[in-house]
Amino acid sequence: PSNTALLVCDVQERFRPLIHKMETVINTTKFMTSVAKELNFPIVATQQYTKVFGPTVKDAFADPKDIGTLAPVFDKKLFSMMTEDCYQHLKTLNKTSYLLVGIEAHVCLQQTALDLLEEGHDVHIIADGVSSQQSYDREMALRRMESCGAYLTTAQSAAFMLMGSADHPNFKAVSKLVKDHMALKNEFNE
């Protein structure tokens, strides 16, 4: 986790009824933000045109007070998360590996992934934490990002990869997060 940051792309209220399997995206985002907090690596969020699409979904964080505090939020109109402000903030974090969750997979998330890959970073797409309005757009975006060099993984796999071993000091806490997350319905399993 020392080289890792979690990017939460545009998980906003206005999109909640529109995005394919959005409740799973929200649950997975909440799980990943909880893992990041437990393992002490940074979280950065963006909101696409907040005035129109509203704030970040509070349910995407175990503690909604973390939105804008623990996890800085950058407003944007650019599709990629790599606005000048967000990009400069990420540079200060000095990370080389990014985990991505959010929407829409074929627009903002994909452009973010491609920008990060172009910069030479490792990009890990949390497949059960990303979606689009149309499932086909999501599928094509996942294929494209993978073919360009991004790693596709699941939230649970990422959590265990970040710890590396059951000897990790936070193993019990993260295992509890995994257990709680696994009890929720994952619509992508259907």
Side-chain angles (χ1 to χ4, degrees), residues 91-134:
K91 281 175 62 173
T92 68
L93 299 177
N94 199 29
K95 303 300 178 187
T96 58
S97 184
Y98 293 93
L99 305 172
L100 271 65
V101 294
I103 60 171
E104 283 194 75
H106 68 294
V107 184
C108 299
L109 197 99
Q110 179 175 268
Q111 289 185 33
T112 302
L114 296 176
D115 286 347
L116 289 166
L117 288 166
E118 192 172 297
E119 292 276 325
H121 298 294
D122 287 336
V123 176
H124 304 266
I125 308 299
I126 308 300
D128 46 337
V130 304
S131 196
S132 297
Q133 291 185 54
Q134 304 294 318

Coordinates of all heavy atoms in Angstrom, one line a residue, residues 91-134:
K91 N 0.4 14.2 -7.8 CA 1.9 14.3 -7.8 C 2.5 14.5 -6.4 O 3.5 13.9 -6.1 CB 2.3 15.5 -8.7 CG 2.3 15.1 -10.2 CD 2.6 16.3 -11.1 CE 4.0 16.9 -10.9 NZ 4.3 17.9 -12.0
T92 N 1.8 15.2 -5.5 CA 2.3 15.4 -4.1 C 2.2 14.1 -3.3 O 3.0 13.9 -2.4 CB 1.5 16.5 -3.4 OG1 0.2 16.0 -3.1 CG2 1.5 17.8 -4.1
L93 N 1.3 13.2 -3.7 CA 1.2 11.9 -3.0 C 2.4 11.0 -3.4 O 2.7 10.0 -2.6 CB -0.1 11.2 -3.4 CG -1.4 12.0 -3.0 CD1 -2.6 11.2 -3.4 CD2 -1.4 12.2 -1.5
N94 N 3.0 11.2 -4.6 CA 4.1 10.4 -5.0 C 3.8 8.9 -5.0 O 4.6 8.1 -4.5 CB 5.3 10.7 -4.2 CG 6.6 10.3 -4.8 OD1 6.7 10.3 -6.0 ND2 7.6 9.9 -4.0
K95 N 2.7 8.5 -5.6 CA 2.3 7.1 -5.7 C 2.5 6.6 -7.2 O 2.5 7.4 -8.1 CB 0.8 6.9 -5.4 CG 0.5 7.4 -4.0 CD 1.3 6.7 -2.9 CE 0.9 7.2 -1.5 NZ 1.8 6.7 -0.5
T96 N 2.7 5.3 -7.3 CA 2.9 4.7 -8.7 C 1.8 3.8 -9.1 O 1.8 3.3 -10.2 CB 4.3 4.0 -8.7 OG1 4.3 3.0 -7.7 CG2 5.4 5.0 -8.5
S97 N 1.0 3.4 -8.1 CA -0.1 2.4 -8.4 C -1.4 3.0 -8.0 O -1.5 3.5 -6.8 CB 0.3 1.2 -7.6 OG -0.7 0.1 -7.8
Y98 N -2.4 2.9 -8.9 CA -3.7 3.4 -8.6 C -4.8 2.4 -8.8 O -4.8 1.6 -9.7 CB -4.0 4.6 -9.6 CG -3.1 5.8 -9.3 CD1 -1.8 5.9 -10.0 CD2 -3.4 6.7 -8.3 CE1 -1.0 7.0 -9.7 CE2 -2.5 7.8 -8.0 CZ -1.4 7.9 -8.7 OH -0.5 8.9 -8.4
L99 N -5.7 2.3 -7.8 CA -6.9 1.5 -7.8 C -8.0 2.4 -8.2 O -8.2 3.5 -7.7 CB -7.2 0.9 -6.4 CG -6.1 0.1 -5.7 CD1 -6.5 -0.2 -4.3 CD2 -5.8 -1.1 -6.5
L100 N -8.8 2.0 -9.2 CA -9.9 2.9 -9.7 C -11.3 2.2 -9.5 O -11.4 1.0 -9.8 CB -9.7 3.1 -11.2 CG -8.9 4.4 -11.6 CD1 -7.5 4.2 -11.2 CD2 -9.0 4.6 -13.1
V101 N -12.2 3.0 -8.9 CA -13.6 2.6 -8.8 C -14.4 3.8 -9.3 O -13.9 5.0 -9.3 CB -14.0 2.3 -7.4 CG1 -13.4 1.0 -6.9 CG2 -13.8 3.4 -6.4
G102 N -15.6 3.6 -9.8 CA -16.5 4.7 -10.2 C -17.2 4.5 -11.5 O -17.3 3.4 -12.1
I103 N -17.6 5.6 -12.0 CA -18.4 5.7 -13.3 C -18.0 6.8 -14.2 O -17.3 7.7 -13.7 CB -19.9 5.8 -12.9 CG1 -20.2 7.0 -12.1 CG2 -20.4 4.5 -12.1 CD1 -21.6 7.3 -11.9
E104 N -18.4 6.9 -15.3 CA -18.8 5.8 -16.1 C -17.6 5.1 -16.7 O -16.7 5.8 -17.1 CB -19.7 6.3 -17.3 CG -21.2 6.6 -16.8 CD -22.1 6.7 -18.0 OE1 -22.5 5.7 -18.6 OE2 -22.5 7.9 -18.3
A105 N -17.6 3.8 -16.7 CA -16.5 3.0 -17.1 C -15.9 3.4 -18.5 O -14.7 3.5 -18.7 CB -16.8 1.5 -17.1
H106 N -16.8 3.7 -19.4 CA -16.4 3.9 -20.8 C -16.0 5.4 -21.1 O -15.6 5.7 -22.2 CB -17.4 3.4 -21.8 CG -18.7 4.2 -21.8 ND1 -19.6 4.2 -20.7 CD2 -19.3 5.0 -22.7 CE1 -20.6 5.0 -21.0 NE2 -20.5 5.5 -22.2
V107 N -16.2 6.3 -20.1 CA -16.0 7.7 -20.3 C -14.9 8.1 -19.3 O -13.7 8.0 -19.6 CB -17.2 8.5 -20.2 CG1 -16.9 10.0 -20.6 CG2 -18.3 8.0 -21.2
C108 N -15.3 8.6 -18.2 CA -14.4 9.2 -17.2 C -13.4 8.2 -16.6 O -12.2 8.6 -16.5 CB -15.2 9.9 -16.1 SG -16.3 11.2 -16.7
L109 N -13.9 7.1 -16.3 CA -13.0 6.1 -15.7 C -11.9 5.6 -16.7 O -10.7 5.6 -16.4 CB -13.7 4.9 -15.2 CG -12.9 4.1 -14.2 CD1 -13.2 4.4 -12.8 CD2 -13.1 2.6 -14.4
Q110 N -12.4 5.3 -17.9 CA -11.5 4.9 -19.0 C -10.4 6.0 -19.3 O -9.3 5.7 -19.4 CB -12.3 4.5 -20.2 CG -11.4 4.1 -21.4 CD -12.3 3.6 -22.5 OE1 -12.6 2.4 -22.6 NE2 -12.7 4.5 -23.4
Q111 N -10.9 7.2 -19.5 CA -9.9 8.3 -19.8 C -8.9 8.5 -18.7 O -7.8 8.8 -18.9 CB -10.7 9.6 -20.1 CG -11.4 9.5 -21.5 CD -12.1 10.7 -21.9 OE1 -11.6 11.8 -21.7 NE2 -13.2 10.6 -22.6
T112 N -9.4 8.3 -17.4 CA -8.5 8.4 -16.3 C -7.4 7.3 -16.3 O -6.2 7.6 -16.2 CB -9.3 8.4 -15.0 OG1 -10.2 9.4 -14.9 CG2 -8.3 8.4 -13.8
A113 N -7.9 6.1 -16.6 CA -7.0 5.0 -16.6 C -6.0 5.2 -17.8 O -4.8 4.9 -17.6 CB -7.8 3.7 -16.9
L114 N -6.4 5.6 -18.9 CA -5.5 5.8 -20.1 C -4.5 6.9 -19.8 O -3.3 6.8 -20.1 CB -6.3 6.1 -21.3 CG -7.2 4.9 -21.8 CD1 -8.0 5.4 -23.0 CD2 -6.4 3.7 -22.1
D115 N -4.9 8.0 -19.1 CA -4.0 9.0 -18.7 C -2.9 8.5 -17.7 O -1.8 8.9 -17.9 CB -4.8 10.2 -18.1 CG -5.5 11.0 -19.1 OD1 -5.3 10.9 -20.3 OD2 -6.4 11.9 -18.7
L116 N -3.4 7.8 -16.8 CA -2.4 7.2 -15.8 C -1.4 6.3 -16.4 O -0.2 6.3 -16.1 CB -3.2 6.6 -14.6 CG -3.9 7.5 -13.7 CD1 -4.9 6.7 -12.8 CD2 -3.0 8.3 -12.8
L117 N -1.9 5.4 -17.3 CA -1.1 4.5 -18.0 C 0.0 5.2 -18.9 O 1.1 4.8 -18.9 CB -1.9 3.5 -18.9 CG -2.7 2.5 -18.1 CD1 -3.7 1.8 -19.0 CD2 -1.8 1.4 -17.5
E118 N -0.5 6.3 -19.5 CA 0.4 7.1 -20.3 C 1.5 7.7 -19.5 O 2.7 7.9 -20.0 CB -0.4 8.2 -21.0 CG 0.4 8.9 -22.1 CD -0.5 9.8 -22.9 OE1 -1.4 9.3 -23.6 OE2 -0.2 11.0 -22.9
E119 N 1.3 8.0 -18.2 CA 2.3 8.5 -17.3 C 3.2 7.4 -16.7 O 4.1 7.7 -16.0 CB 1.6 9.2 -16.1 CG 0.8 10.5 -16.5 CD 1.7 11.7 -16.5 OE1 2.7 11.8 -15.7 OE2 1.5 12.6 -17.4
G120 N 2.9 6.2 -17.1 CA 3.7 5.1 -16.6 C 3.3 4.4 -15.3 O 4.1 3.7 -14.7
H121 N 2.1 4.7 -14.8 CA 1.7 4.2 -13.6 C 1.0 2.8 -13.8 O 0.6 2.5 -14.8 CB 0.6 5.1 -12.9 CG 1.2 6.5 -12.6 ND1 2.1 6.7 -11.7 CD2 0.9 7.7 -13.1 CE1 2.4 8.0 -11.6 NE2 1.7 8.6 -12.5
D122 N 1.0 2.0 -12.7 CA 0.2 0.8 -12.6 C -1.2 1.2 -12.3 O -1.5 2.0 -11.4 CB 0.7 -0.1 -11.5 CG 2.0 -0.8 -11.9 OD1 2.4 -0.9 -13.0 OD2 2.7 -1.2 -10.9
V123 N -2.1 0.6 -13.1 CA -3.6 0.9 -12.9 C -4.3 -0.4 -12.7 O -4.2 -1.3 -13.5 CB -4.1 1.7 -14.2 CG1 -5.6 1.9 -14.0 CG2 -3.4 3.0 -14.4
H124 N -5.1 -0.4 -11.6 CA -5.9 -1.6 -11.2 C -7.3 -1.2 -11.2 O -7.7 -0.3 -10.4 CB -5.4 -2.1 -9.9 CG -4.0 -2.4 -9.8 ND1 -3.5 -3.7 -10.0 CD2 -2.9 -1.6 -9.5 CE1 -2.2 -3.6 -9.9 NE2 -1.8 -2.4 -9.6
I125 N -8.1 -1.8 -12.1 CA -9.5 -1.5 -12.2 C -10.3 -2.5 -11.4 O -10.2 -3.7 -11.6 CB -10.0 -1.6 -13.7 CG1 -9.2 -0.8 -14.7 CG2 -11.5 -1.2 -13.8 CD1 -9.1 0.7 -14.4
I126 N -11.0 -2.0 -10.4 CA -11.8 -2.8 -9.5 C -13.1 -3.1 -10.2 O -14.0 -2.3 -10.2 CB -12.0 -2.1 -8.1 CG1 -10.7 -1.7 -7.5 CG2 -12.8 -3.1 -7.2 CD1 -9.7 -2.7 -7.2
A127 N -13.1 -4.3 -10.9 CA -14.2 -4.5 -11.9 C -15.6 -4.5 -11.2 O -16.5 -4.1 -11.9 CB -13.9 -5.9 -12.5
D128 N -15.7 -5.0 -10.0 CA -17.0 -4.9 -9.3 C -17.3 -3.6 -8.7 O -18.3 -3.4 -8.0 CB -17.1 -6.0 -8.3 CG -15.9 -6.2 -7.3 OD1 -14.8 -5.8 -7.7 OD2 -16.1 -6.8 -6.2
G129 N -16.4 -2.6 -9.0 CA -16.7 -1.2 -8.5 C -16.8 -0.2 -9.6 O -16.6 1.0 -9.4
V130 N -17.0 -0.7 -10.9 CA -17.1 0.2 -12.0 C -18.3 -0.2 -12.9 O -18.6 -1.3 -13.0 CB -15.8 0.3 -12.9 CG1 -14.6 0.7 -12.0 CG2 -15.6 -1.0 -13.6
S131 N -18.9 0.8 -13.5 CA -20.0 0.5 -14.4 C -20.3 1.7 -15.2 O -19.7 2.8 -15.1 CB -21.3 0.1 -13.6 OG -22.2 -0.5 -14.5
S132 N -21.3 1.6 -16.1 CA -21.8 2.6 -17.0 C -23.3 2.4 -17.1 O -23.9 1.5 -16.5 CB -21.3 2.3 -18.5 OG -19.8 2.4 -18.5
Q133 N -24.0 3.3 -17.8 CA -25.4 3.2 -17.9 C -25.8 1.9 -18.7 O -26.8 1.2 -18.3 CB -26.0 4.4 -18.6 CG -25.9 5.7 -17.8 CD -26.6 6.9 -18.4 OE1 -27.8 6.8 -18.8 NE2 -25.8 8.0 -18.5
Q134 N -25.0 1.6 -19.7 CA -25.3 0.4 -20.5 C -24.2 -0.7 -20.2 O -23.0 -0.4 -20.2 CB -25.2 0.7 -22.0 CG -26.2 1.8 -22.4 CD -27.6 1.4 -22.2 OE1 -28.0 0.3 -22.5 NE2 -28.4 2.3 -21.7

